[in-house]
């Protein structure tokens, strides 16, 4: 298990999540939005959480900084941020400690860059508010740091710092949010759909910027996306989420060229590339389950082409399948793998026949 | 353009659309001309604010051009005084639009049956409610919403996003259109459902002969849906390149098309890593209130030639069979005298 790593290596793992559950109380019953999620984030690593709307990926992200709505509760689980050998148990933090923790240990950049700002405050006032709430820096220090960061995200700092949010384009606002998230030098950055609402060329700028930030600053990045292309671009590892739980987790190349879960394979088969060969695409039949009243057994079984009796009665656990890095929650991995030969071949072609897989 | 007039089911000629007051006027669409043949798919791609939706709305007759003309089956849609032409009703029934957001475009207080039967009865396409029900069932089957009993008396909020968009398509089909403008019709739908929706819409082309103007910001979707059709790339109000889909994807000529294809992230890690970047000279999209002189792309273009690109605005010129580009440099390379 990931929380049993030796103390010495903990400094390299700033975040561990263990068996996390999140529920919402609604009129119809209890929505189990996150169901028993475990993973860890390494320093300098980017992990993509992919999945479709309603799979629980944003709830999970928000739970990691405890910004859940009132109706939500966390019945079980552990979230630990590590500073050296010292762990911060996020679920037991008091409101005051939590506020301090939020920007300085872990910052979150939300999907809608316009809504994240107060429309009547200049960028400078918003930055100052954030810095004040956490203390420790003088006004002049904040200003200097802010200008530095704005320049770092390739904005014209003098112009942007005195602008109102509406005066900036979507891509500029997204960059301001990124700069703000770095203000208190967090070790973990959570990005919710960082490029979703942006145009292609702007998207490219943000992706390249994120990659550079990650390499130069070395924080750990968790980004939440429904877009496989963003994951293929930015992720070192990919976690596929379905019906509130991680169904597959592995290195990015493994996930794209040797997926082991039928849902991950289904997503890959459903998304066209632009400049790659023309491919016939297949959609996944049916729709995601109702999380108030999910099906028994594997939550994907009603949509799964590999379904057996076993899948209808028991939910498979996320278990190591290949090497030490690729885990999957499925009883029929071998049959799924037989259907990925074309993807494996494509990968071999890219690698000049030198691709090496971990052995399953 | 190229293939001679009168062959097009729908054609826009020199379409211009301005918005705003006299003091602050913007030209959202600036001299756009193109034609679509019966049974063809044309994709309009471009970034937000490039005028693709405005063009689509003009083509669908929802927005009157400030100047220019739209021809439907060879006849002008607007008469010279700018009023609706004689055949306007025929045009409005022949051309339907599907919007991006089915939450907003379907009446939330009507059942699916009511949503689909209303236009049938209003336009007297059926004689009575019994026939209306039969036709509604037929339409639900066409768009793949079955078993129909599960859908007829549901309200839009009881359906998933993909199902709602299928209802929007069924509603467009009530009046037996020959031509459908689909404006970001699959953008809000989850990826696992998207392909099913696209395949269903492609079947309508095959089985009912529907012609499409498909508007999208998503190049992957454009490529998949219009592989046998054509793509027009728009930038700041104009078409900068118009070519068959494989040509445009595999061998783009306009620097802006090249930049887009090089920048777009791919759902294939190696493919995306091995892409060659096109470095632009500037990241700023020009404001419609302060358009650059000459070619609108020149402040960002890596092939910019001073004295040419910032002075003369390039026209959309033929550079091969059924292939058009608006770029001085690309035209010169294709052997077209400046």
């Amino acid at each position: 298990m990931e929380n049993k790593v030796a103390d010495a290596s903990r400094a390299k793992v700033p975040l561990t999540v263990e068996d996390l559950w999140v529920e919402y109380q609604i009129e119809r019953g209890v929505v189990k939005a996150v169901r028993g999620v475990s993973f860890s984030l390494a320093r300098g690593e980017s992990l993509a959480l992919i999945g479709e709307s309603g799979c629980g990926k944003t709830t999970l992200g928000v739970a990691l900084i405890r910004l859940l709505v009132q109706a939500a509760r966390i019945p079980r689980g552990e979230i630990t941020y590590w500073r050296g050998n010292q762990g911060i148990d996020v679920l037991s933090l008091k409101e005051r400690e939590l506020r301090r923790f939020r920007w300085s240990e872990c910052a979150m950049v939300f999907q809608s860059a316009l809504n994240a700002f107060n429309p009547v405050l200049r960028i400078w006032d918003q930055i100052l508010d954030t810095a004040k709430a956490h203390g420790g820096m003088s006004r002049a220090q904040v200003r200097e740091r802010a200008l530095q960061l704005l320049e770092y995200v390739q904005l014209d700092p003098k112009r942007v710092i005195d602008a109102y949010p509406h005066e900036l384009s979507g891509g500029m606002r997204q960059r301001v949010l990124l700069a703000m998230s770095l203000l208190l030098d967090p070790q973990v950055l959570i990005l919710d759909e960082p490029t979703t609402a942006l145009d292609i060329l702007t998207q490219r700028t943000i992706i390249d910027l994120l990659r550079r930030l990650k390499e130069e600053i070395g924080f750990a990045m968790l980004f939440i996306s429904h877009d496989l292309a963003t994951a293929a671009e930015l992720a070192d590892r990919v976690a596929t989420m379905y019906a509130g739980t991680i169904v597959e987790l592995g290195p990015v190349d493994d996930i794209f060229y040797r997926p082991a879960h039928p849902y991950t394979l289904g997503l890959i088969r459903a998304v066209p590339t632009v400049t790659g060969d023309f491919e016939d695409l297949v959609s996944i039949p049916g729709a995601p389950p109702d999380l108030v009243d999910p099906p028994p057994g594997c939550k994907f079984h009603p949509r799964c082409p590999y379904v057996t009796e076993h899948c209808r009665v028991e939910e498979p656990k996320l278990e190591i399948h290949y090497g030490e890095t690729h885990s999957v929650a499925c009883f029929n991995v071998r049959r799924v793998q037989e259907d990925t030969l074309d993807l494996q071949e494509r990968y071999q072609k890219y690698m000049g026949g030198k691709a090496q897989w971990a052995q399953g | 353009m190229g293939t001679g007039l009168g062959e097009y089911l729908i054609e826009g000629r020199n379409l211009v659309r301005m918005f705003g007051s006299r003091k602050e006027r913007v030209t959202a669409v600036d001299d756009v001309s193109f034609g679509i043949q019966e049974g063809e798919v044309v994709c309009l791609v471009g970034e937000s604010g490039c005028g693709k939706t405005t063009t689509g709305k003009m083509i669908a007759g929802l927005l009157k051009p400030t100047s220019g003309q739209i021809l439907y089956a060879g006849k002008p849609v607007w008469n010279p005084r700018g009023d609706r032409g004689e055949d306007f009703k025929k045009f409005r029934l022949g051309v339907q639009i599907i919007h991006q957001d089915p939450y907003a475009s379907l009446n939330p207080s009507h059942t699916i049956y009511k949503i689909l039967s209303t236009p049938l009865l209003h336009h007297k396409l059926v004689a009575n409610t019994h026939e209306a029900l039969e036709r509604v069932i037929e339409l639900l089957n066409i768009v793949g919403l079955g078993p129909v009993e599960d859908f007829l008396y549901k309200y839009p909020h009881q359906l998933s996003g993909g199902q709602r968009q299928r209802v929007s398509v069924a509603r467009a089909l009530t009046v037996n259109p020959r031509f459908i403008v689909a404006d970001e019709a699959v953008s809000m739908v989850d990826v696992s459902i998207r392909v099913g929706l696209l395949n269903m819409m492609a079947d309508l082309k095959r089985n009912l002969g529907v012609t499409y103007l498909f508007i999208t910001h998503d190049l992957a979707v454009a490529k998949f849906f219009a592989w046998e059709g054509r793509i027009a790339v728009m930038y700041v109000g104009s078409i900068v390149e118009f070519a068959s889909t494989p040509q445009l994807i595999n061998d783009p000529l306009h620097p802006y098309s090249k930049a887009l294809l090089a920048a777009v992230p791919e759902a294939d890690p190696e493919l995306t890593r091995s892409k060659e970047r096109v470095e632009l000279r500037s990241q700023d999209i020009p404001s419609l209130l302060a358009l650059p002189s000459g070619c609108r792309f020149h402040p960002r273009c890596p092939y910019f030639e001073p004295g040419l690109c910032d002075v003369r605005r390039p026209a959309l010129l033929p550079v091969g069979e059924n292939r058009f580009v608006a770029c001085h440099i690309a035209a010169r390379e294709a052997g077209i005298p400046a």
Side-chain angles (χ1 to χ4, degrees):
Chain A
M1 280 276 117
E2 298 194 295
N3 66 338
K4 296 200 179 78
V5 286
D7 269 8
S9 65
R10 275 193 170 147
K12 293 180 185 151
V13 182
L15 168 64
T16 55
V17 176
E18 197 58 43
D19 193 29
L20 184 69
W21 292 68
V22 183
E23 299 173 349
Y24 293 103
Q25 185 69 51
I26 60 167
E27 230 168 86
R28 267 188 326 120
V30 176
V31 182
K32 293 195 175 69
V34 176
R35 302 183 305 118
V37 164
S38 304
F39 68 92
S40 67
L41 260 185
R43 201 169 153 71
E45 170 188 56
S46 68
L47 173 66
L49 212 53
I50 60 171
E52 299 176 280
S53 43
C55 75
K57 57 191 191 302
T58 298
T59 300
L60 173 58
V62 171
L64 295 180
I65 53 166
R66 278 188 52 199
L67 263 184
L68 289 164
V69 292
Q70 282 277 310
R73 58 183 213 106
I74 300 178
R76 230 159 83 196
E78 276 174 35
I79 303 168
T80 316
Y81 286 81
W82 298 92
R83 277 248 175 221
N85 289 336
Q86 206 192 348
I88 303 168
D89 174 6
V90 176
L91 296 182
S92 67
L93 289 184
K94 302 268 179 314
E95 196 51 45
R96 256 188 67 161
E97 301 162 319
L98 202 55
R99 267 204 301 274
R100 214 202 75 77
F101 152 84
R102 265 181 205 134
W103 288 73
S104 52
E105 294 294 329
C106 175
M108 185 159 182
V109 177
F110 287 96
Q111 177 169 8
S112 172
L114 183 56
N115 303 341
F117 291 108
N118 183 336
V120 298
L121 291 184
R122 291 175 196 272
I123 299 299
W124 165 237
D125 298 314
Q126 324 226 3
I127 292 176
L128 194 62
D129 273 358
T130 307
K132 265 193 206 151
H134 296 276
M137 274 197 276
S138 74
R139 201 184 160 92
Q141 279 172 322
V142 176
R143 179 107 187 162
E144 191 187 341
R145 173 97 177 124
L147 289 170
Q148 237 173 21
L149 286 169
L150 289 172
E151 187 161 5
Y152 194 53
V153 297
Q154 291 155 3
L155 289 167
D156 176 356
K158 295 249 155 57
R159 193 193 133 202
V160 168
I161 203 159
D162 292 319
Y164 287 97
H166 74 267
E167 296 176 295
L168 306 175
S169 72
M172 289 164 92
R173 282 196 292 261
Q174 191 67 281
R175 276 180 274 173
V176 172
L177 277 184
L178 270 175
M180 279 174 73
S181 71
L182 300 175
L183 196 65
L184 301 173
D185 199 18
Q187 322 187 57
V188 177
L189 194 59
I190 301 173
L191 302 142
D192 188 13
E193 303 279 5
T195 63
T196 298
L198 304 174
D199 282 322
I200 295 170
L201 297 177
T202 317
Q203 215 176 36
R204 168 56 52 203
T205 325
I206 299 290
I207 286 174
D208 291 345
L209 175 66
L210 283 171
R211 185 176 295 125
R212 207 189 85 214
L213 290 178
K214 197 193 80 174
E215 274 160 22
E216 291 176 6
I217 304 179
F219 47 64
M221 203 160 87
L222 176 71
F223 70 92
I224 298 164
S225 182
H226 73 282
D227 179 24
L228 292 186
T230 315
E233 273 277 345
L234 271 177
D236 301 313
R237 287 193 301 152
V238 177
T240 313
M241 253 186 115
Y242 190 78
T245 197
I246 294 177
V247 294
E248 186 166 9
L249 174 63
V252 63
D253 285 3
D254 268 48
I255 296 291
F256 276 91
Y257 303 119
R258 199 172 53 163
H261 195 281
Y263 179 62
T264 314
L265 178 60
L267 287 179
I268 290 168
R269 295 269 188 237
V271 176
T273 58
V274 182
T275 57
D277 296 336
F278 185 83
E279 296 162 285
D280 277 324
L281 302 175
V282 190
S283 64
I284 303 175
D290 178 359
L291 291 177
V292 174
D293 183 21
C298 172
K299 304 299 169 255
F300 187 61
H301 90 253
R303 306 175 73 187
C304 183
Y306 303 91
V307 61
T308 63
E309 265 322 299
H310 193 183
C311 313
R312 292 181 224 272
V313 290
E314 192 187 332
E315 184 164 17
K317 290 193 176 61
L318 186 68
E319 280 167 352
I320 291 286
H321 185 71
Y322 294 114
E324 293 176 348
T325 50
H326 190 166
S327 319
V328 58
C330 177
F331 297 124
N332 304 303
V333 171
R334 292 217 175 270
R335 280 163 57 220
V336 178
Q337 295 273 278
E338 281 163 21
D339 290 344
T340 64
L341 292 179
D342 60 317
L343 300 173
Q344 297 187 33
E345 233 167 76
R346 188 195 302 171
Y347 188 54
Q348 284 295 356
K349 223 164 82 191
Y350 285 136
M351 294 284 135
K354 288 188 200 124
Q356 300 236 325
W357 299 110
Q359 293 307 306
Chain B
M1 266 176 20
T3 43
L5 301 174
E7 274 186 57
Y8 294 126
L9 175 62
I10 195 141
E11 193 189 349
R13 284 191 197 162
N14 308 103
L15 295 177
V16 173
R17 176 69 209 200
M18 296 179 186
F19 290 106
S21 60
R22 194 171 295 167
K23 259 198 340 214
E24 212 173 59
R25 213 143 213 235
V26 297
T27 307
V29 172
D30 190 359
D31 196 13
V32 160
S33 300
F34 66 100
I36 305 176
Q37 285 161 9
E38 181 121 42
E40 195 188 15
V41 176
V42 167
C43 258
L44 214 50
V45 303
E47 301 186 285
S48 46
C50 73
K52 56 190 192 301
T53 290
T54 304
T55 303
K57 281 187 173 166
M58 285 194 284
I59 288 290
L62 296 180
L63 203 61
K64 202 155 69 172
T66 308
S67 67
Q69 185 56 272
I70 294 155
L71 302 171
Y72 176 66
K75 294 202 179 105
V77 166
W78 306 97
N79 70 25
R81 296 210 327 268
D83 298 329
R84 296 172 167 190
E86 304 165 30
D87 294 324
F88 195 82
K89 196 170 173 204
K90 215 167 100 193
F91 162 72
R92 288 296 282 123
L93 289 179
V95 178
Q96 290 291 304
I97 190 162
I98 298 168
H99 297 280
Q100 172 170 12
D101 184 1
Y103 289 79
S105 63
L106 297 175
N107 188 327
S109 63
H110 286 177
T111 63
I112 305 309
Y113 168 74
K114 173 110 195 208
I115 288 168
L116 297 179
S117 62
T118 303
L120 291 171
L121 293 163
H122 176 84
H123 294 295
K124 300 192 172 58
L125 296 161
V126 290
N128 50 47
T129 50
H130 179 72
E131 271 185 34
L133 180 62
E134 271 179 20
R135 179 73 179 137
V136 168
I137 289 172
E138 191 185 355
L139 287 167
L140 288 176
N141 278 320
I142 289 174
V143 298
L145 286 177
V148 286
E149 340 40 294
D150 288 357
F151 295 97
L152 273 176
Y153 301 107
K154 287 229 166 95
Y155 291 89
H157 76 267
Q158 293 171 298
L159 307 185
S160 73
Q163 290 169 341
R164 260 191 296 259
Q165 200 55 307
R166 283 174 192 257
V167 173
S168 303
V169 175
R171 186 182 53 181
L173 292 177
T174 51
V175 295
N176 306 309
R178 291 166 77 184
F179 178 61
I180 289 179
V181 176
D183 187 4
E184 300 281 10
V186 301
S187 302
M188 288 183 64
V189 178
D190 268 326
V191 280
S192 75
I193 316 278
R194 194 178 287 171
V195 176
L197 201 56
L198 288 169
N199 283 337
M200 182 271 286
M201 289 170 71
D203 284 344
L204 301 180
K205 176 172 97 97
R206 232 163 280 138
N207 302 333
L208 307 176
V210 174
T211 305
Y212 281 102
L213 178 65
F214 191 89
I215 300 168
T216 181
H217 71 286
D218 185 335
L219 289 175
V221 166
K223 172 208 180 183
F224 180 71
F225 192 72
W227 188 245
E228 284 158 11
R230 291 186 289 160
I231 293 182
V233 181
M234 282 190 83
Y235 183 73
V236 204
S238 312
I239 293 178
V240 294
E241 184 164 2
F242 195 15
S244 80
T245 302
Q247 272 180 330
L248 194 109
I249 297 285
N250 297 324
D251 180 28
L253 294 179
H254 197 281
Y256 178 65
S257 320
K258 287 185 189 181
L260 283 181
L261 286 160
V264 68
E266 303 273 11
D268 179 331
E270 267 306 312
L271 182 65
T272 222
R273 279 174 213 144
S274 60
K275 272 194 177 188
E276 271 179 53
R277 301 265 183 272
V278 172
E279 294 296 332
L280 296 181
R281 298 192 304 131
S282 152
Q283 303 293 347
D284 299 333
I285 301 159
S287 154
L288 290 173
L289 287 167
L291 286 172
S293 61
C295 172
R296 263 119 205 228
F297 192 56
H298 90 254
R300 309 176 73 188
C301 184
Y303 305 95
F304 165 63
E305 276 183 26
L308 174 64
C309 303
D310 52 350
V311 177
R312 282 186 22 221
R313 189 155 171 219
L316 190 66
L317 296 173
V319 286
E321 200 176 326
N322 246 321
R323 176 143 219 205
F324 303 86
V325 65
C327 169
H328 298 303
I329 314 292
R332 187 170 66 208
E333 276 170 11
I336 290 166

